[in-house]
Amino acid sequence: MGRPPCCDKENVKKGPWTPDEDILLVSYIEEHGPGNWRSVPVKTGLLRCSKSCRLRWTNYLRPGIKRGDFSAHEETTIIQLQAVLGNKWAAIASYLPERTDNDIKNFWNTHLKKKLKHEIGAFQNDGCSSSSQPSIPRGQWERSLQTDFQMTRKAFSDALSVDIKHSKHSNGLSSFYSMPSIDTQSAIYAASTENISRLLEGWMSKSSKSGGSSVATAYTSSNGVSLDAYEPFLGLDSPMTDVSHSQSVNFEENITIFQDESKPSFSLLEEWLLESESQEFFDMPYQDTSHQW
DNA sequence: AAGGGGAGCAACCGCATGGCA
DNA sequence: CTGCCATGCGGTTGCTCCCCT
C-alpha cells in the first residue's frame, strides 16, 4: 500500500491563491503561528491542501522575504554556493535569508544557468578549450580555480559576517540574522501585518498594471531555515581535526574533472571542504585574487 | 490587431526525513 | 524496532505576461 494522500484531493482547490485566501492564511498564522499545517485548512476553512498552505506561507507570505531583481552580490553568491553545494536550494537560501529556496531555484534555472552556459561557451570559443584536446594550460586552470575558491570563501565570509557561534547558543536564528532582541513571535506578527499591507498594495498596483512586488523591509523570522544541516560547514559542534590537505593536489583533481567533462565540476572541492572541517576554510585569510584576471 | 512562442514564476507533486507513539 | 504522520525539499508543471512577427 502506498503512502496515503496528504489531503482529500477531491475537495481541494488548486491554482493561484486569491487575496481573500492569503488574508485568511496570514490572519490564522498571526494568531497561532506557523506550523501544524494539517489543521490550517480545517481551522481556516481554506479549501487548500496543507502543503499548499505551508508553501504559500514560506514562499510568499512569510515576513522578511525580499522580492524583485537579484543584486549582483546575490547573483555571485548563488553562483559560488551552487558550485560548492550543488542544487541544495534550501542550503543556498539559508545564506540569503531574504530569498526563498524556490526563488533562488527559479532564478538559477531561468537566468544563471543560461548565463553560465553562455559564458562557458564563449570561453571555449575563445580557443581556450577544444572538445578533442583540452589545451588550457594547467597553471591557468589552477589559478582560475583558486580564484573561484577564494571567491566562494569570500561569499561565505560575507554571508556569515555575523557571529554564528555566539548566536547559535544565545538566541538561535534570530540573532543569527541580526534581529533586534525583541520577542520573535511579535516580530513575526508585526511583519505579517506589513506583508498584508504589501499584498494589498501589490493587488492594487496589479489591478492597474501588473506591477512588481515591493521590497520587504521586515526582518527575517526563523521560519523555514535550519542551521543544523550546515553545522559541518559552519564548524559548529565539529571536532577540530588536523587538516593538512594539500590545496594544490585537490585543485589538480578538480582541474582534471573540469577538463574531462568540459564543464565546471566542483564535487571534489565540495568533498574536500566537507571533509577538511569548515573551520579551517573560514580561518584561512582571504586573498582577493580576482584582480589578476 | 492577432497569435505564436518564449520567459518568468507560482504552485504542485512525490519522495525523503525526522519525530513520536 | 516499526509504522505513522507532519514537514522539508527538489524537480517539474502550467499559467500569465510580454515580445516579436
Side-chain angles (χ1 to χ4, degrees):
Chain A
M1 197 178 114
R3 185 186 175 75
C6 70
C7 47
D8 178 13
K9 291 187 188 291
E10 293 287 311
N11 299 316
V12 164
K13 188 183 168 192
K14 286 186 185 179
W17 281 63
T18 65
D20 288 344
E21 289 175 317
D22 280 341
I23 289 172
L24 217 52
L25 180 60
V26 171
S27 305
Y28 177 83
I29 292 172
E30 276 190 1
E31 201 175 329
H32 300 93
N36 197 9
W37 294 107
R38 189 141 240 199
S39 68
V40 171
V42 181
K43 299 262 177 70
T44 58
L46 283 165
L47 298 175
R48 293 280 181 173
C49 168
S50 56
K51 269 184 175 183
S52 184
C53 293
R54 183 181 59 81
L55 214 59
R56 183 66 180 169
W57 170 256
T58 54
N59 285 342
Y60 201 84
L61 302 172
R62 177 167 63 89
I65 294 176
K66 181 178 163 188
R67 309 199 72 81
D69 292 343
F70 281 70
S71 68
H73 177 257
E74 286 174 318
E75 187 178 313
T76 311
T77 305
I78 291 167
I79 291 170
Q80 289 161 4
L81 289 172
Q82 204 278 341
V84 174
L85 298 172
N87 293 358
K88 304 286 180 192
W89 305 118
I92 294 170
S94 71
Y95 292 101
L96 295 168
E98 292 180 322
R99 300 291 188 177
T100 69
D101 54 353
N102 207 34
D103 264 350
I104 293 170
K105 179 173 61 181
N106 283 335
F107 185 59
W108 174 264
N109 287 331
T110 56
H111 292 91
L112 297 180
K113 216 154 80 173
K114 286 176 202 163
K115 191 176 174 181
L116 288 176
K117 195 177 173 184
H118 179 259
E119 283 176 7
I120 288 167
F123 182 72
Q124 287 175 341
N125 289 338
D126 276 352
C128 295
S129 167
S130 81
S131 54
S132 58
Q133 193 79 17
S135 60
I136 307 153
R138 176 150 289 204
Q140 186 177 337
W141 278 108
E142 189 163 338
R143 285 199 305 277
S144 174
L145 208 57
Q146 187 164 10
T147 302
D148 287 337
F149 179 71
Q150 298 283 9
M151 287 171 73
T152 305
R153 277 177 43 214
K154 184 173 188 312
F156 273 106
S157 301
D158 289 348
L160 301 171
S161 54
V162 292
D163 186 350
I164 295 163
K165 283 184 179 173
H166 176 72
S167 65
K168 168 160 173 128
H169 298 294
S170 56
N171 194 22
L173 293 168
S174 299
S175 54
F176 173 58
Y177 292 128
S178 305
M179 277 179 74
S181 58
I182 58 169
D183 175 65
T184 309
Q185 278 301 95
S186 308
I188 291 169
Y189 290 175
S192 294
T193 312
E194 276 187 49
N195 262 4
I196 292 180
S197 24
R198 280 198 294 122
L199 279 169
L200 293 171
E201 268 179 47
W203 297 325
M204 284 166 72
S205 61
K206 213 172 186 176
S207 62
S208 57
K209 178 182 166 60
S210 64
S213 316
S214 55
V215 175
T217 52
Y219 30 74
T220 307
S221 78
S222 63
N223 296 306
V225 183
S226 167
L227 271 183
D228 293 347
Y230 317 115
E231 282 185 358
F233 237 92
L234 303 175
L236 303 169
D237 303 330
S238 301
M240 289 300 291
T241 54
D242 174 42
V243 182
S244 52
H245 293 69
S246 159
Q247 275 192 38
S248 60
V249 168
N250 284 281
F251 282 134
E252 294 269 327
E253 287 169 357
N254 281 285
I255 290 159
T256 307
I257 287 176
F258 204 153
Q259 287 176 328
D260 287 346
E261 297 182 1
S262 299
K263 62 182 182 183
S265 168
F266 292 83
S267 56
L268 286 171
L269 174 60
E270 180 184 358
E271 262 177 45
W272 174 71
L273 284 171
L274 290 168
E275 278 171 15
S276 66
E277 302 295 346
S278 57
Q279 194 53 54
E280 183 174 66
F281 177 80
F282 291 108
D283 285 346
M284 284 189 289
Y286 168 70
Q287 275 185 308
D288 185 4
T289 55
S290 55
H291 64 275
Q292 294 172 6
W293 306 96

